[in-house]
Amino acid sequence: MKQSGTIVEKQYFTYGAAPDRLQLESGAVLGPVTIAYETFGTLNRDRDNVILIAHAFSGDSHVAGHYPTDREGDKPGWWDFMVGPGKGIDTDKYFVICPNILGSCMGSTGPKSINPETQKPYGLDFPMMTIGDMVTTQKALLDHLGISELRAVVGGSVGGMQVLEWCVRFPEMIRSAVPIATTMRHSALAIAFNEIARQSIMADPKWNNGDYYGGDFPRMGLAVARMVGHVTYLSDEAMRRKFGRRLQDKEAFSFGFFDGDFQVESYLRYQGSKFVDRFDANSLLYITKAADYFDVVDRVTASGPLKGGDLQKVKYLVISYSSDWLYPTYQAKELVQALKRTGQDVSFCEIEADCGHDAFLIPDERLTTLVKGFIDGVG
Amino acid sequence: MKQSGTIVEKQYFTYGAAPDRLQLESGAVLGPVTIAYETFGTLNRDRDNVILIAHAFSGDSHVAGHYPTDREGDKPGWWDFMVGPGKGIDTDKYFVICPNILGSCMGSTGPKSINPETQKPYGLDFPMMTIGDMVTTQKALLDHLGISELRAVVGGSVGGMQVLEWCVRFPEMIRSAVPIATTMRHSALAIAFNEIARQSIMADPKWNNGDYYGGDFPRMGLAVARMVGHVTYLSDEAMRRKFGRRLQDKEAFSFGFFDGDFQVESYLRYQGSKFVDRFDANSLLYITKAADYFDVVDRVTASGPLKGGDLQKVKYLVISYSSDWLYPTYQAKELVQALKRTGQDVSFCEIEADCGHDAFLIPDERLTTLVKGFIDGVG
């Protein structure tokens, strides 16, 4: 029996075959490129009801609804509480597009894709790509769909970086932007955590310099990398409330290393082991590196003057979470100040929540109300 | 040419051979046990000028001064700015003892020591030990040295846990205690980081279930574990100030994975690679587990009533650091409140410093002045 609710299918857009391959920011070329995407709602006649949702590092195009193949009990898309008929981003009104990012392993071209030159998976032959390159492919997708205006670009975390990149690259296309739980550039702390995750994968002999497709993959290294990620997504308070020092399925300490004693250990091990079944280790390497390289400070600061006095105003709603220590509120405020200095129209809200960076993925009426009010009010 | 300054030698105390082996908290037995230790200054006639310094997780007995074998330029002990003639803990006045903890790899018995039953290194046959077991061996060392009173017990981080354990086990021996940058028990966050460090080691095939002595050891896993540790020892502010987004020996991004781009990456890689040359992976497993198990909340709370109304007063100076997010100030305050409720004499100071948990290892006049004033003033 199928799921009730919105049914959606993954679609694919391929372009950039030789000789029209993509020129990447690193100087490398790549092509052809496939971008997986999903759409929700109906494009109106004026083609001006489009909302682009950019997903976070390990996300995918499946932002809401169910696939036709889903069975009763299967989980809907990752932002189903936000996106759908009558919801915060109302698909009765808006045409929502969510593309899977370049470099991912969820349908778009990435390191596990076949390299046409070798007929083998790219592995480390996949060129380094940037957040800018991700946005370039999304722009190509919109061109392909005949869309030249975005009512809103919305995204959290690495998705928020794409939102900011969109705004500095194509402000003339954008009426509003909602960067959530994000930053103009990674702090040393954020880079440090990503580097530990990468080192953990690269330390696994099964990583084999990225050449592991078709064989055993770096399961252990990838699991530890994900554990590191999960600690940064939570917060001290969230972990205290969620786990405290409670033991997992035992009354006393095990005095051993193989069974986790504490619930938090079991949780992390579970998250690690679940992740390795769905995510590619090389994709983690490439996407974390793109996030570390990302830096729009200069371009945001210059976004007024660069337009030659004819400032393109984008309406912004910047949202941060009080307990996010990966991209803390002070970084959101730096963004707000930088945007205001260029004369942009900026609203800012810090949501009080103890659940850390991942808060934007957790149903919260305040977030939904904020986003709905803002997007519906875009002139 | 030898170093100037205090010259010290590592000493060893061995006890607990069969049939008098140690009964550990886990129920296991262990023996014989050797405790490496160093002493500074002179024990007075009344034997009442003794200060015990408990070192942190990866520390050792070499708290200050130089070994006779040191050469010009060799670093002195890890708290040399604090301990020595005329310093904060003045070895002209006090007899300072610093024992290496049980389970370590710096001279005391630990998993890399020879198991007398097999004549091979213990590896995972080493029994799980607790902070309480560490303190038990330190008590045995003091008995051996004929010391029955401590003017002060001082230690930071896991050393601070030993301080608290001393206070609940042997309050009648202790006149004052200085727990620094520590906690009554690990939060879920602290357990999470330790678990990631352990998993990183255990994921390395060269760990080989702890049986790697004499062969290649889990260098990669241990390095990643240390990188995790270093992030928890610093703070967002410290990393921003120390590294920011500065690149390491390059003008532009490498667009590759093998050379770190950012200084913070090089720093972590360097710390990781340095650590593997001096520390044993199994010791990390055992000591982090002991720290995770540690919990004196109930015993601190009960420390008044348990003495049958005849409360043994210990004078406390509790010190925390404003940017320590491993053992944040709120945890130090919980300790202060718990001690006060039992009628203890407690002073508390939060030192404003942006360098995170490791601050107590960094020369700081405020810390020295605080500790000196407190210890000199013990009645």
Side-chain angles (χ1 to χ4, degrees):
Chain A
M1 183 184 159
K2 291 204 182 142
Q3 273 281 5
S4 59
T6 308
I7 299 297
V8 66
E9 289 201 64
K10 199 181 277 199
Q11 302 173 69
Y12 300 89
F13 163 60
T14 298
Y15 77 115
D20 300 317
R21 295 195 294 170
L22 274 73
Q23 178 83 37
L24 301 182
E25 276 201 273
S26 66
V29 291
L30 176 68
V33 165
T34 295
I35 298 298
Y37 67 101
E38 297 178 30
T39 70
F40 307 79
T42 309
L43 185 62
N44 66 10
R45 206 179 326 179
D46 294 340
R47 297 175 171 262
D48 65 357
N49 69 332
V50 182
I51 294 178
L52 181 84
I53 296 180
H55 69 72
F57 136 72
S58 68
D60 59 21
S61 59
H62 194 42
V63 66
H66 286 276
Y67 291 132
T69 50
D70 277 2
R71 284 174 300 186
E72 183 96 27
D74 280 358
K75 280 191 184 170
W78 55 269
W79 228 17
D80 195 71
F81 73 86
M82 177 68 81
V83 177
K87 295 184 182 177
I89 297 176
D90 186 351
T91 53
D92 285 340
K93 290 194 260 180
Y94 305 121
F95 180 62
V96 170
I97 304 174
C98 185
N100 179 223
I101 56 176
L102 184 69
S104 179
C105 49
M106 301 298 192
S108 292
T109 301
K112 80 166 185 185
S113 303
I114 297 297
N115 180 350
E117 288 181 12
T118 63
Q119 294 303 316
K120 289 184 191 159
Y122 282 101
L124 285 204
D125 288 335
F126 193 75
M128 194 69 77
M129 86 282 157
T130 62
I131 302 287
D133 295 324
M134 295 176 191
V135 166
T136 299
T137 62
Q138 292 166 7
K139 169 70 162 58
L141 170 63
L142 294 193
D143 290 346
H144 163 73
L145 296 173
I147 291 164
S148 58
E149 179 182 307
L150 293 172
R151 185 180 179 91
V153 196
V154 184
S157 195
V158 169
M161 295 179 189
Q162 295 162 62
V163 170
L164 297 178
E165 187 77 37
W166 262 102
C167 292
V168 295
R169 282 193 180 232
F170 307 109
E172 66 283 356
M173 286 180 65
I174 299 169
R175 283 156 68 199
S176 75
V178 188
I180 304 170
T182 195
T183 183
M184 288 190 287
R185 60 180 173 198
H186 266 183
S187 65
L189 182 70
I191 296 171
F193 279 120
N194 273 350
E195 172 67 0
I196 291 172
R198 286 189 294 264
Q199 288 296 319
S200 169
I201 288 169
M202 294 166 71
D204 189 329
K206 290 184 177 150
W207 178 61
N208 192 31
N209 284 325
D211 182 10
Y212 53 79
Y213 300 104
D216 201 4
F217 64 97
R219 177 180 292 273
M220 304 294 272
L222 182 58
V224 173
R226 185 58 168 180
M227 291 170 70
V228 173
H230 265 276
V231 171
T232 69
Y233 307 152
L234 291 166
S235 68
D236 186 21
E237 304 96 295
M239 295 180 88
R240 202 159 63 226
R241 181 171 44 74
K242 200 166 177 168
F243 311 111
R245 290 178 56 84
R246 286 186 294 280
L247 301 182
Q248 179 73 30
D249 301 333
K250 49 177 68 72
E251 298 289 314
F253 295 151
S254 71
F255 292 113
F257 297 108
F258 296 101
D259 293 330
D261 285 287
F262 297 97
Q263 284 182 7
V264 64
E265 296 174 301
S266 301
Y267 171 81
L268 290 175
R269 290 182 186 194
Y270 172 72
Q271 293 296 341
S273 68
K274 208 174 62 167
F275 190 63
V276 302
D277 292 330
R278 75 173 180 87
F279 210 77
D280 178 45
N282 284 336
S283 280
L284 186 147
L285 297 183
Y286 279 87
I287 299 169
T288 57
K289 202 74 189 165
D292 289 348
Y293 283 153
F294 177 72
D295 183 352
V296 286
V297 170
D298 289 347
R299 286 178 292 157
V300 165
T301 308
S303 61
L306 262 192
K307 305 291 298 181
D310 183 20
L311 178 67
Q312 193 76 36
K313 271 205 188 183
V314 177
K315 216 178 150 189
Y316 286 90
L317 170 61
V318 177
I319 299 173
S320 73
Y321 286 91
S322 57
S323 58
D324 183 348
W325 57 272
L326 191 57
Y327 307 138
T329 289
Y330 79 82
Q331 293 180 18
K333 285 184 175 164
E334 286 171 2
L335 168 62
V336 169
Q337 291 309 318
L339 290 169
K340 280 191 172 163
R341 273 197 298 274
T342 67
Q344 307 287 346
D345 177 353
V346 191
S347 302
F348 168 62
C349 183
E350 180 189 43
I351 297 180
E352 282 287 334
D354 74 354
C355 34
H357 175 66
D358 255 3
F360 71 97
L361 296 172
I362 300 167
D364 181 333
E365 198 54 50
R366 293 172 299 178
L367 177 65
T368 308
T369 306
L370 263 175
V371 171
K372 185 179 185 60
F374 176 78
I375 291 179
D376 288 352
V378 169
Chain B
M1 183 182 158
K2 289 201 182 146
Q3 273 281 3
S4 59
T6 308
I7 300 298
V8 66
E9 287 201 67
K10 199 180 276 198
Q11 301 174 70
Y12 300 90
F13 163 59
T14 298
Y15 77 115
D20 299 317
R21 296 196 293 169
L22 274 72
Q23 179 82 38
L24 301 181
E25 277 201 273
S26 66
V29 290
L30 176 68
V33 165
T34 294
I35 298 299
Y37 66 101
E38 296 176 30
T39 70
F40 308 78
T42 310
L43 185 61
N44 67 9
R45 206 178 326 180
D46 294 341
R47 297 177 171 263
D48 65 358
N49 70 332
V50 182
I51 295 179
L52 182 83
I53 296 180
H55 69 71
F57 135 73
S58 67
D60 58 22
S61 58
H62 194 42
V63 66
H66 285 277
Y67 291 132
T69 50
D70 277 1
R71 284 175 299 186
E72 183 96 27
D74 279 358
K75 279 190 185 171
W78 54 270
W79 229 17
D80 194 71
F81 73 86
M82 176 68 81
V83 177
K87 295 184 182 177
I89 296 176
D90 187 351
T91 53
D92 285 339
K93 291 195 260 183
Y94 306 121
F95 181 62
V96 170
I97 304 173
C98 184
N100 180 224
I101 56 177
L102 183 69
S104 180
C105 49
M106 300 298 191
S108 293
T109 301
K112 80 166 185 186
S113 304
I114 298 297
N115 180 350
E117 287 181 12
T118 64
Q119 293 304 316
K120 288 182 192 161
Y122 281 101
L124 286 202
D125 288 335
F126 193 75
M128 193 70 76
M129 87 282 157
T130 62
I131 302 286
D133 295 324
M134 295 175 192
V135 166
T136 299
T137 62
Q138 294 166 6
K139 170 70 163 60
L141 170 63
L142 295 192
D143 289 347
H144 162 72
L145 297 172
I147 292 164
S148 58
E149 179 183 306
L150 292 172
R151 185 179 180 89
V153 195
V154 184
S157 195
V158 168
M161 296 180 187
Q162 295 162 60
V163 169
L164 297 177
E165 187 78 36
W166 262 102
C167 293
V168 297
R169 285 196 177 230
F170 308 108
E172 66 286 354
M173 285 181 66
I174 298 169
R175 285 155 67 198
S176 76
V178 187
I180 304 170
T182 195
T183 184
M184 288 191 288
R185 61 181 172 198
H186 267 182
S187 65
L189 182 69
I191 296 171
F193 279 121
N194 274 349
E195 171 67 0
I196 290 171
R198 286 189 295 265
Q199 288 295 320
S200 170
I201 288 169
M202 295 167 70
D204 189 329
K206 290 183 177 150
W207 178 61
N208 192 30
N209 284 325
D211 182 10
Y212 53 78
Y213 299 103
D216 201 6
F217 64 97
R219 177 180 293 273
M220 304 293 273
L222 182 58
V224 173
R226 185 58 169 180
M227 292 170 70
V228 174
H230 265 276
V231 172
T232 69
Y233 305 153
L234 289 167
S235 69
D236 186 19
E237 304 97 294
M239 297 179 87
R240 204 161 60 225
R241 181 171 43 76
K242 201 166 177 169
F243 312 111
R245 289 177 57 82
R246 285 187 294 281
L247 301 182
Q248 178 73 29
D249 300 333
K250 48 177 70 72
E251 297 290 313
F253 295 151
S254 71
F255 293 113
F257 297 109
F258 295 100
D259 293 330
D261 284 288
F262 297 97
Q263 285 182 6
V264 65
E265 296 174 300
S266 300
Y267 171 82
L268 290 175
R269 289 181 188 195
Y270 172 72
Q271 294 296 341
S273 68
K274 209 174 60 167
F275 190 63
V276 302
D277 292 330
R278 74 173 182 87
F279 211 77
D280 179 44
N282 283 337
S283 280
L284 186 147
L285 297 183
Y286 279 87
I287 299 170
T288 56
K289 203 76 189 165
D292 288 349
Y293 283 153
F294 177 72
D295 183 352
V296 287
V297 170
D298 290 347
R299 286 178 292 157
V300 164
T301 308
S303 61
L306 263 191
K307 305 290 301 178
D310 183 18
L311 178 66
Q312 194 75 36
K313 270 205 187 182
V314 177
K315 215 177 150 194
Y316 286 90
L317 171 62
V318 176
I319 298 172
S320 73
Y321 286 92
S322 57
S323 58
D324 184 348
W325 55 274
L326 191 58
Y327 308 137
T329 289
Y330 79 83
Q331 293 180 18
K333 286 184 175 165
E334 286 171 4
L335 167 62
V336 169
Q337 291 309 316
L339 290 169
K340 280 190 171 165
R341 273 197 298 274
T342 68
Q344 307 287 346
D345 177 353
V346 191
S347 301
F348 168 61
C349 182
E350 179 191 40
I351 297 181
E352 283 288 332
D354 73 355
C355 32
H357 176 65
D358 255 2
F360 71 98
L361 296 173
I362 299 167
D364 182 334
E365 199 52 51
R366 294 171 299 178
L367 177 65
T368 308
T369 306
L370 263 175
V371 170
K372 183 179 185 61
F374 176 78
I375 291 178
D376 289 350
V378 169

